[in-house]
Amino acid sequence: MFSQFALHERLLKAVAELKFVEPTPVQTAAIPLALQGRDLRVTAQTGSGKTAAFVLPILNRLIGPAKVRVDIRALILLPTRELAQQTLKEVERFSQFTFIKAGLITGGEDFKVQAAMLRKVPDILIGTPGRLIEQLNAGNLDLKHVEVIVLDEADRMLDMGFSEDVQRLVEECPSRQQTLLFSATTGGAGLRDMIDKVLKDPEHLMINSVSQLSEGTRQQVIAADHNVHKEQILNWLMANETYQKAIIFTNTKAMADRLYGRLVAQDYKVFVLHGDKDQKDRKAAIDRLKQGGVKILVATDVAARGLDVEGLDMVINFEMPRSGDEYVHRIGRTGRAGNQGLAISLISHGDWNLMSSVERYLKQKFERRVIKEVKGSYTGPKKVKASGKAVGVKKKKTDKKTDKKAVAKTPTKRKTVNRPKADAPSLVSQDGLAPLRKRKPAAPAAE
Ligand code: AMP
């Protein structure tokens, strides 16, 4: 119950209006600490309810009687325009019974209109780092009285090269009392560096998004002989599975374009999203998908992070992602906020070891599924190690580099305490589907 939090009644009213009944694990863990004014470092994926976890405490801090606004008091930084827009919507929904006003500053929008909005001084400013810096340089932005800063999807902001911009913006806020940093992954040296620089004695909340995933999403693997066979399986799935909207992930732009071409040729309404597409294409693709004009999206990881599309109930990994975190990201696109979802990974020889790494990372074994109509001959390696990986697979010289890279990126350094040994996997021929292992509900753990 949200009433367990010391939130203002007007915020509780908005929560009730939105029909949020139970707080999600990230909300349960983060809201009380954020209300106390603590700095937080939260590892939680999009779809976990993390936006409300920082928006509600911020609103609680700012809530008060109507008065002339003179200062921006909270700054929320996000990596992409869509995420910033989604966050603005969330802020507006939660603040509907208050006098708090929020403003949005992202690239691709009219600079002067934004400057005019800034002159009216929003209480909460939400934006992407690049354009905020431009407004700052133009003398339109005063952050001197910002009390709270949120760095959302901080790992992604770093991936996108915003490190310096973010640090500059933080430095522009000398009155800040609280900083909340959210990232979907535990990140690398860049994230650690940022955490050291911007957070003061932070509490680290690791939200076990992995367990949450399996609650609403069935996870299956289908063995495939090679890419052409994968395409046949994909065609079968597109034609025979029940889904409202689907997303197909590939590891490369070239493969995304290729699949897009194949699906278009079959008259599917489909869009493709990858790093070469500009913001306009991206927005058009996401809008059409949201409105239902397009049912299928082919995407690479970078392009699809942070997508929140209602009714997205099937995720297909045409290729296995190269790390457990990336897998969690992809699968996090479906089964959101308690809905059902289906995640299917197509596994050929080259994907096997990645799959077993991901299974170990998630501490669960995926359903093995065989589709009679498109059954191939590959059923997994002849021999597997206790780790689930293939024994004695001779790699071709040309594969070596990519394989090494892939394995290096898999989270093998995670704690192995209490990790059950993976069962020796074998692809069992079956028409029906075995039920998923029941997992314990997600529990946040403070580090
Ligand atoms: P987020 O991770 O913040 O992007 O949230 C994912 C989706 O879950 C959004 O559409 C939220 O409105 C929704 N949501 C967040 N918290 C809750 C909750 N406690 N109950 C129901 N839906 C929620």
Side-chain angles (χ1 to χ4, degrees), residues 2 18-24 26-27 45-53 83 86 90 93-94 308 310 336-337:
F2 277 86
L18 294 172
K19 306 215 164 34
F20 284 17
V21 183
E22 286 300 327
T24 64
V26 67
Q27 292 160 1
Q45 59 159 49
T46 309
S48 58
K50 66 183 168 65
T51 314
L83 281 171
Q86 281 169 23
E90 205 84 333
R93 295 199 303 166
F94 286 121
D308 182 11
E310 220 171 286
R336 293 165 84 89

PDB file of all heavy atoms in Angstrom, residues 2 18-24 26-27 45-53 83 86 90 93-94 308 310 336-337, ligand 1:
ATOM      1  N   PHE A   2       0.472   2.234  -0.817  1.00  0.00           N
ATOM      2  CA  PHE A   2       1.266   3.461  -0.875  1.00  0.00           C
ATOM      3  C   PHE A   2       1.128   4.290   0.394  1.00  0.00           C
ATOM      4  O   PHE A   2       1.981   5.127   0.687  1.00  0.00           O
ATOM      5  CB  PHE A   2       0.883   4.278  -2.106  1.00  0.00           C
ATOM      6  CG  PHE A   2       1.592   3.808  -3.346  1.00  0.00           C
ATOM      7  CD1 PHE A   2       1.073   2.783  -4.104  1.00  0.00           C
ATOM      8  CD2 PHE A   2       2.794   4.367  -3.720  1.00  0.00           C
ATOM      9  CE1 PHE A   2       1.732   2.331  -5.227  1.00  0.00           C
ATOM     10  CE2 PHE A   2       3.474   3.918  -4.842  1.00  0.00           C
ATOM     11  CZ  PHE A   2       2.937   2.895  -5.595  1.00  0.00           C
ATOM     12  N   LEU A  18      -4.437   6.913 -10.254  1.00  0.00           N
ATOM     13  CA  LEU A  18      -3.733   6.156 -11.302  1.00  0.00           C
ATOM     14  C   LEU A  18      -3.911   4.654 -11.132  1.00  0.00           C
ATOM     15  O   LEU A  18      -3.357   3.864 -11.896  1.00  0.00           O
ATOM     16  CB  LEU A  18      -2.243   6.494 -11.271  1.00  0.00           C
ATOM     17  CG  LEU A  18      -1.892   7.922 -11.647  1.00  0.00           C
ATOM     18  CD1 LEU A  18      -0.417   8.212 -11.399  1.00  0.00           C
ATOM     19  CD2 LEU A  18      -2.226   8.171 -13.102  1.00  0.00           C
ATOM     20  N   LYS A  19      -4.597   4.277 -10.098  1.00  0.00           N
ATOM     21  CA  LYS A  19      -4.885   2.865  -9.809  1.00  0.00           C
ATOM     22  C   LYS A  19      -3.618   2.061  -9.511  1.00  0.00           C
ATOM     23  O   LYS A  19      -3.544   0.875  -9.812  1.00  0.00           O
ATOM     24  CB  LYS A  19      -5.686   2.222 -10.954  1.00  0.00           C
ATOM     25  CG  LYS A  19      -6.949   2.987 -11.290  1.00  0.00           C
ATOM     26  CD  LYS A  19      -8.082   2.073 -11.698  1.00  0.00           C
ATOM     27  CE  LYS A  19      -9.445   2.710 -11.676  1.00  0.00           C
ATOM     28  NZ  LYS A  19      -9.564   4.123 -12.027  1.00  0.00           N
ATOM     29  N   PHE A  20      -2.621   2.727  -8.949  1.00  0.00           N
ATOM     30  CA  PHE A  20      -1.459   2.000  -8.437  1.00  0.00           C
ATOM     31  C   PHE A  20      -1.878   1.466  -7.065  1.00  0.00           C
ATOM     32  O   PHE A  20      -2.222   2.256  -6.197  1.00  0.00           O
ATOM     33  CB  PHE A  20      -0.271   2.932  -8.224  1.00  0.00           C
ATOM     34  CG  PHE A  20       0.453   3.348  -9.477  1.00  0.00           C
ATOM     35  CD1 PHE A  20      -0.122   3.204 -10.728  1.00  0.00           C
ATOM     36  CD2 PHE A  20       1.728   3.898  -9.399  1.00  0.00           C
ATOM     37  CE1 PHE A  20       0.548   3.606 -11.875  1.00  0.00           C
ATOM     38  CE2 PHE A  20       2.408   4.290 -10.533  1.00  0.00           C
ATOM     39  CZ  PHE A  20       1.814   4.152 -11.778  1.00  0.00           C
ATOM     40  N   VAL A  21      -1.859   0.180  -6.887  1.00  0.00           N
ATOM     41  CA  VAL A  21      -2.288  -0.371  -5.600  1.00  0.00           C
ATOM     42  C   VAL A  21      -1.069  -0.692  -4.743  1.00  0.00           C
ATOM     43  O   VAL A  21      -0.844  -0.111  -3.691  1.00  0.00           O
ATOM     44  CB  VAL A  21      -3.180  -1.616  -5.800  1.00  0.00           C
ATOM     45  CG1 VAL A  21      -3.669  -2.140  -4.464  1.00  0.00           C
ATOM     46  CG2 VAL A  21      -4.359  -1.281  -6.708  1.00  0.00           C
ATOM     47  N   GLU A  22      -0.258  -1.620  -5.241  1.00  0.00           N
ATOM     48  CA  GLU A  22       0.925  -2.031  -4.493  1.00  0.00           C
ATOM     49  C   GLU A  22       2.161  -1.329  -5.048  1.00  0.00           C
ATOM     50  O   GLU A  22       2.349  -1.287  -6.270  1.00  0.00           O
ATOM     51  CB  GLU A  22       1.131  -3.546  -4.649  1.00  0.00           C
ATOM     52  CG  GLU A  22       0.164  -4.392  -3.853  1.00  0.00           C
ATOM     53  CD  GLU A  22       0.241  -4.137  -2.355  1.00  0.00           C
ATOM     54  OE1 GLU A  22       1.347  -3.835  -1.860  1.00  0.00           O
ATOM     55  OE2 GLU A  22      -0.804  -4.204  -1.691  1.00  0.00           O
ATOM     56  N   PRO A  23       3.018  -0.827  -4.188  1.00  0.00           N
ATOM     57  CA  PRO A  23       4.283  -0.289  -4.700  1.00  0.00           C
ATOM     58  C   PRO A  23       5.148  -1.425  -5.270  1.00  0.00           C
ATOM     59  O   PRO A  23       5.075  -2.558  -4.781  1.00  0.00           O
ATOM     60  CB  PRO A  23       4.957   0.325  -3.479  1.00  0.00           C
ATOM     61  CG  PRO A  23       4.130  -0.008  -2.306  1.00  0.00           C
ATOM     62  CD  PRO A  23       2.871  -0.669  -2.740  1.00  0.00           C
ATOM     63  N   THR A  24       5.927  -1.126  -6.287  1.00  0.00           N
ATOM     64  CA  THR A  24       6.833  -2.140  -6.841  1.00  0.00           C
ATOM     65  C   THR A  24       8.065  -2.238  -5.920  1.00  0.00           C
ATOM     66  O   THR A  24       8.265  -1.355  -5.065  1.00  0.00           O
ATOM     67  CB  THR A  24       7.275  -1.750  -8.258  1.00  0.00           C
ATOM     68  OG1 THR A  24       8.033  -0.544  -8.159  1.00  0.00           O
ATOM     69  CG2 THR A  24       6.079  -1.529  -9.192  1.00  0.00           C
ATOM     70  N   VAL A  26      11.175  -1.552  -6.319  1.00  0.00           N
ATOM     71  CA  VAL A  26      12.066  -0.379  -6.305  1.00  0.00           C
ATOM     72  C   VAL A  26      11.409   0.767  -5.547  1.00  0.00           C
ATOM     73  O   VAL A  26      12.088   1.528  -4.835  1.00  0.00           O
ATOM     74  CB  VAL A  26      12.501   0.034  -7.738  1.00  0.00           C
ATOM     75  CG1 VAL A  26      11.355   0.545  -8.570  1.00  0.00           C
ATOM     76  CG2 VAL A  26      13.608   1.068  -7.694  1.00  0.00           C
ATOM     77  N   GLN A  27      10.107   0.868  -5.635  1.00  0.00           N
ATOM     78  CA  GLN A  27       9.400   1.931  -4.900  1.00  0.00           C
ATOM     79  C   GLN A  27       9.473   1.670  -3.395  1.00  0.00           C
ATOM     80  O   GLN A  27       9.751   2.570  -2.605  1.00  0.00           O
ATOM     81  CB  GLN A  27       7.950   2.029  -5.382  1.00  0.00           C
ATOM     82  CG  GLN A  27       7.869   2.547  -6.820  1.00  0.00           C
ATOM     83  CD  GLN A  27       6.568   2.229  -7.532  1.00  0.00           C
ATOM     84  OE1 GLN A  27       5.663   1.628  -6.971  1.00  0.00           O
ATOM     85  NE2 GLN A  27       6.485   2.613  -8.794  1.00  0.00           N
ATOM     86  N   GLN A  45      15.861  -1.636 -13.624  1.00  0.00           N
ATOM     87  CA  GLN A  45      15.606  -1.440 -15.048  1.00  0.00           C
ATOM     88  C   GLN A  45      14.349  -0.609 -15.304  1.00  0.00           C
ATOM     89  O   GLN A  45      13.506  -0.457 -14.416  1.00  0.00           O
ATOM     90  CB  GLN A  45      15.462  -2.791 -15.703  1.00  0.00           C
ATOM     91  CG  GLN A  45      14.323  -3.579 -15.071  1.00  0.00           C
ATOM     92  CD  GLN A  45      13.827  -4.658 -15.971  1.00  0.00           C
ATOM     93  OE1 GLN A  45      14.570  -5.423 -16.511  1.00  0.00           O
ATOM     94  NE2 GLN A  45      12.539  -4.729 -16.128  1.00  0.00           N
ATOM     95  N   THR A  46      14.253  -0.121 -16.538  1.00  0.00           N
ATOM     96  CA  THR A  46      13.036   0.566 -16.951  1.00  0.00           C
ATOM     97  C   THR A  46      11.908  -0.464 -16.906  1.00  0.00           C
ATOM     98  O   THR A  46      12.117  -1.612 -17.251  1.00  0.00           O
ATOM     99  CB  THR A  46      13.190   1.084 -18.397  1.00  0.00           C
ATOM    100  OG1 THR A  46      14.408   1.796 -18.453  1.00  0.00           O
ATOM    101  CG2 THR A  46      12.050   1.993 -18.776  1.00  0.00           C
ATOM    102  N   GLY A  47      10.752  -0.051 -16.459  1.00  0.00           N
ATOM    103  CA  GLY A  47       9.651  -1.006 -16.342  1.00  0.00           C
ATOM    104  C   GLY A  47       9.478  -1.480 -14.909  1.00  0.00           C
ATOM    105  O   GLY A  47       8.506  -2.138 -14.572  1.00  0.00           O
ATOM    106  N   SER A  48      10.443  -1.123 -14.047  1.00  0.00           N
ATOM    107  CA  SER A  48      10.365  -1.577 -12.656  1.00  0.00           C
ATOM    108  C   SER A  48       9.541  -0.608 -11.806  1.00  0.00           C
ATOM    109  O   SER A  48       9.301  -0.869 -10.636  1.00  0.00           O
ATOM    110  CB  SER A  48      11.775  -1.692 -12.067  1.00  0.00           C
ATOM    111  OG  SER A  48      12.414  -0.430 -12.159  1.00  0.00           O
ATOM    112  N   GLY A  49       9.157   0.505 -12.396  1.00  0.00           N
ATOM    113  CA  GLY A  49       8.428   1.519 -11.616  1.00  0.00           C
ATOM    114  C   GLY A  49       9.370   2.526 -10.994  1.00  0.00           C
ATOM    115  O   GLY A  49       9.006   3.228 -10.052  1.00  0.00           O
ATOM    116  N   LYS A  50      10.576   2.640 -11.532  1.00  0.00           N
ATOM    117  CA  LYS A  50      11.575   3.509 -10.906  1.00  0.00           C
ATOM    118  C   LYS A  50      11.239   4.997 -11.047  1.00  0.00           C
ATOM    119  O   LYS A  50      11.644   5.786 -10.205  1.00  0.00           O
ATOM    120  CB  LYS A  50      12.969   3.206 -11.426  1.00  0.00           C
ATOM    121  CG  LYS A  50      13.170   3.525 -12.889  1.00  0.00           C
ATOM    122  CD  LYS A  50      14.570   3.113 -13.297  1.00  0.00           C
ATOM    123  CE  LYS A  50      14.751   3.127 -14.799  1.00  0.00           C
ATOM    124  NZ  LYS A  50      14.652   4.448 -15.398  1.00  0.00           N
ATOM    125  N   THR A  51      10.491   5.359 -12.078  1.00  0.00           N
ATOM    126  CA  THR A  51      10.178   6.784 -12.243  1.00  0.00           C
ATOM    127  C   THR A  51       9.393   7.283 -11.025  1.00  0.00           C
ATOM    128  O   THR A  51       9.741   8.297 -10.430  1.00  0.00           O
ATOM    129  CB  THR A  51       9.371   7.013 -13.547  1.00  0.00           C
ATOM    130  OG1 THR A  51      10.012   6.284 -14.584  1.00  0.00           O
ATOM    131  CG2 THR A  51       9.307   8.469 -13.908  1.00  0.00           C
ATOM    132  N   ALA A  52       8.357   6.535 -10.656  1.00  0.00           N
ATOM    133  CA  ALA A  52       7.570   6.942  -9.481  1.00  0.00           C
ATOM    134  C   ALA A  52       8.441   6.934  -8.229  1.00  0.00           C
ATOM    135  O   ALA A  52       8.226   7.731  -7.311  1.00  0.00           O
ATOM    136  CB  ALA A  52       6.383   6.003  -9.301  1.00  0.00           C
ATOM    137  N   ALA A  53       9.445   6.067  -8.206  1.00  0.00           N
ATOM    138  CA  ALA A  53      10.300   5.953  -7.020  1.00  0.00           C
ATOM    139  C   ALA A  53      11.089   7.229  -6.769  1.00  0.00           C
ATOM    140  O   ALA A  53      11.444   7.531  -5.638  1.00  0.00           O
ATOM    141  CB  ALA A  53      11.253   4.762  -7.160  1.00  0.00           C
ATOM    142  N   LEU A  83      12.447   9.164 -23.255  1.00  0.00           N
ATOM    143  CA  LEU A  83      12.434   8.936 -21.810  1.00  0.00           C
ATOM    144  C   LEU A  83      12.083  10.221 -21.072  1.00  0.00           C
ATOM    145  O   LEU A  83      11.352  10.204 -20.086  1.00  0.00           O
ATOM    146  CB  LEU A  83      13.794   8.424 -21.345  1.00  0.00           C
ATOM    147  CG  LEU A  83      14.060   6.944 -21.585  1.00  0.00           C
ATOM    148  CD1 LEU A  83      15.512   6.608 -21.286  1.00  0.00           C
ATOM    149  CD2 LEU A  83      13.152   6.078 -20.720  1.00  0.00           C
ATOM    150  N   GLN A  86       8.390  10.735 -21.431  1.00  0.00           N
ATOM    151  CA  GLN A  86       7.654   9.800 -20.556  1.00  0.00           C
ATOM    152  C   GLN A  86       7.728  10.252 -19.102  1.00  0.00           C
ATOM    153  O   GLN A  86       6.751  10.167 -18.357  1.00  0.00           O
ATOM    154  CB  GLN A  86       8.259   8.389 -20.654  1.00  0.00           C
ATOM    155  CG  GLN A  86       7.831   7.637 -21.904  1.00  0.00           C
ATOM    156  CD  GLN A  86       8.648   6.352 -22.116  1.00  0.00           C
ATOM    157  OE1 GLN A  86       9.214   5.802 -21.169  1.00  0.00           O
ATOM    158  NE2 GLN A  86       8.712   5.885 -23.328  1.00  0.00           N
ATOM    159  N   GLU A  90       4.760  11.310 -16.415  1.00  0.00           N
ATOM    160  CA  GLU A  90       4.639  10.711 -15.085  1.00  0.00           C
ATOM    161  C   GLU A  90       4.584  11.814 -14.011  1.00  0.00           C
ATOM    162  O   GLU A  90       3.765  11.758 -13.098  1.00  0.00           O
ATOM    163  CB  GLU A  90       5.839   9.773 -14.862  1.00  0.00           C
ATOM    164  CG  GLU A  90       5.607   8.665 -13.867  1.00  0.00           C
ATOM    165  CD  GLU A  90       4.916   7.432 -14.442  1.00  0.00           C
ATOM    166  OE1 GLU A  90       4.166   7.562 -15.432  1.00  0.00           O
ATOM    167  OE2 GLU A  90       5.117   6.343 -13.867  1.00  0.00           O
ATOM    168  N   ARG A  93       1.229  13.448 -14.085  1.00  0.00           N
ATOM    169  CA  ARG A  93       0.161  12.608 -13.508  1.00  0.00           C
ATOM    170  C   ARG A  93       0.197  12.643 -11.986  1.00  0.00           C
ATOM    171  O   ARG A  93      -0.820  12.742 -11.320  1.00  0.00           O
ATOM    172  CB  ARG A  93       0.318  11.152 -13.997  1.00  0.00           C
ATOM    173  CG  ARG A  93       0.102  11.027 -15.502  1.00  0.00           C
ATOM    174  CD  ARG A  93      -0.209   9.636 -15.946  1.00  0.00           C
ATOM    175  NE  ARG A  93       0.786   8.638 -15.589  1.00  0.00           N
ATOM    176  CZ  ARG A  93       0.557   7.337 -15.656  1.00  0.00           C
ATOM    177  NH1 ARG A  93      -0.613   6.886 -16.037  1.00  0.00           N
ATOM    178  NH2 ARG A  93       1.496   6.479 -15.323  1.00  0.00           N
ATOM    179  N   PHE A  94       1.408  12.568 -11.437  1.00  0.00           N
ATOM    180  CA  PHE A  94       1.497  12.550  -9.971  1.00  0.00           C
ATOM    181  C   PHE A  94       1.271  13.920  -9.337  1.00  0.00           C
ATOM    182  O   PHE A  94       0.928  14.009  -8.168  1.00  0.00           O
ATOM    183  CB  PHE A  94       2.865  12.007  -9.521  1.00  0.00           C
ATOM    184  CG  PHE A  94       3.007  10.528  -9.707  1.00  0.00           C
ATOM    185  CD1 PHE A  94       4.014  10.010 -10.504  1.00  0.00           C
ATOM    186  CD2 PHE A  94       2.130   9.640  -9.108  1.00  0.00           C
ATOM    187  CE1 PHE A  94       4.151   8.650 -10.685  1.00  0.00           C
ATOM    188  CE2 PHE A  94       2.258   8.281  -9.286  1.00  0.00           C
ATOM    189  CZ  PHE A  94       3.264   7.783 -10.077  1.00  0.00           C
ATOM    190  N   ASP A 308       8.935   2.069 -23.704  1.00  0.00           N
ATOM    191  CA  ASP A 308       7.840   1.618 -22.849  1.00  0.00           C
ATOM    192  C   ASP A 308       6.578   1.652 -23.705  1.00  0.00           C
ATOM    193  O   ASP A 308       5.962   2.691 -23.862  1.00  0.00           O
ATOM    194  CB  ASP A 308       7.712   2.550 -21.632  1.00  0.00           C
ATOM    195  CG  ASP A 308       6.611   2.096 -20.682  1.00  0.00           C
ATOM    196  OD1 ASP A 308       6.108   0.963 -20.851  1.00  0.00           O
ATOM    197  OD2 ASP A 308       6.255   2.860 -19.786  1.00  0.00           O
ATOM    198  N   GLU A 310       2.900   0.033 -24.465  1.00  0.00           N
ATOM    199  CA  GLU A 310       1.838  -0.817 -23.937  1.00  0.00           C
ATOM    200  C   GLU A 310       1.468  -1.904 -24.950  1.00  0.00           C
ATOM    201  O   GLU A 310       1.482  -1.653 -26.164  1.00  0.00           O
ATOM    202  CB  GLU A 310       0.615   0.050 -23.662  1.00  0.00           C
ATOM    203  CG  GLU A 310      -0.086  -0.341 -22.375  1.00  0.00           C
ATOM    204  CD  GLU A 310      -1.139   0.661 -22.014  1.00  0.00           C
ATOM    205  OE1 GLU A 310      -0.765   1.758 -21.559  1.00  0.00           O
ATOM    206  OE2 GLU A 310      -2.318   0.344 -22.216  1.00  0.00           O
ATOM    207  N   ARG A 336       5.486  -5.912 -18.803  1.00  0.00           N
ATOM    208  CA  ARG A 336       5.674  -4.770 -17.907  1.00  0.00           C
ATOM    209  C   ARG A 336       4.480  -4.567 -16.991  1.00  0.00           C
ATOM    210  O   ARG A 336       3.360  -4.880 -17.349  1.00  0.00           O
ATOM    211  CB  ARG A 336       5.903  -3.512 -18.721  1.00  0.00           C
ATOM    212  CG  ARG A 336       7.192  -3.561 -19.469  1.00  0.00           C
ATOM    213  CD  ARG A 336       7.188  -2.503 -20.515  1.00  0.00           C
ATOM    214  NE  ARG A 336       7.608  -1.238 -19.927  1.00  0.00           N
ATOM    215  CZ  ARG A 336       8.858  -0.854 -19.858  1.00  0.00           C
ATOM    216  NH1 ARG A 336       9.806  -1.630 -20.307  1.00  0.00           N
ATOM    217  NH2 ARG A 336       9.181   0.298 -19.340  1.00  0.00           N
ATOM    218  N   ALA A 337       4.793  -4.022 -15.825  1.00  0.00           N
ATOM    219  CA  ALA A 337       3.769  -3.689 -14.826  1.00  0.00           C
ATOM    220  C   ALA A 337       2.730  -4.795 -14.687  1.00  0.00           C
ATOM    221  O   ALA A 337       1.533  -4.574 -14.751  1.00  0.00           O
ATOM    222  CB  ALA A 337       3.114  -2.351 -15.177  1.00  0.00           C
TER     223      ALA A 337
HETATM  224  P1  AMP B   1       8.875   2.846 -15.110  1.00  0.00           P
HETATM  225  O1  AMP B   1       9.813   1.753 -14.712  1.00  0.00           O
HETATM  226  O2  AMP B   1       8.955   3.993 -14.171  1.00  0.00           O
HETATM  227  O3  AMP B   1       9.099   3.235 -16.551  1.00  0.00           O
HETATM  228  O4  AMP B   1       7.372   2.280 -14.994  1.00  0.00           O
HETATM  229  C1  AMP B   1       6.846   1.321 -15.851  1.00  0.00           C
HETATM  230  C2  AMP B   1       5.341   1.384 -15.916  1.00  0.00           C
HETATM  231  O5  AMP B   1       4.757   0.848 -14.720  1.00  0.00           O
HETATM  232  C3  AMP B   1       4.774   2.797 -16.071  1.00  0.00           C
HETATM  233  O6  AMP B   1       3.760   2.753 -17.055  1.00  0.00           O
HETATM  234  C4  AMP B   1       4.206   3.121 -14.710  1.00  0.00           C
HETATM  235  O7  AMP B   1       3.125   4.019 -14.797  1.00  0.00           O
HETATM  236  C5  AMP B   1       3.784   1.752 -14.195  1.00  0.00           C
HETATM  237  N1  AMP B   1       3.866   1.633 -12.721  1.00  0.00           N
HETATM  238  C6  AMP B   1       4.826   2.099 -11.929  1.00  0.00           C
HETATM  239  N2  AMP B   1       4.594   1.796 -10.642  1.00  0.00           N
HETATM  240  C7  AMP B   1       3.457   1.107 -10.607  1.00  0.00           C
HETATM  241  C8  AMP B   1       2.675   0.515  -9.545  1.00  0.00           C
HETATM  242  N3  AMP B   1       3.065   0.566  -8.264  1.00  0.00           N
HETATM  243  N4  AMP B   1       1.529  -0.113  -9.890  1.00  0.00           N
HETATM  244  C9  AMP B   1       1.137  -0.181 -11.182  1.00  0.00           C
HETATM  245  N5  AMP B   1       1.820   0.356 -12.226  1.00  0.00           N
HETATM  246  C10 AMP B   1       2.966   0.983 -11.949  1.00  0.00           C
END
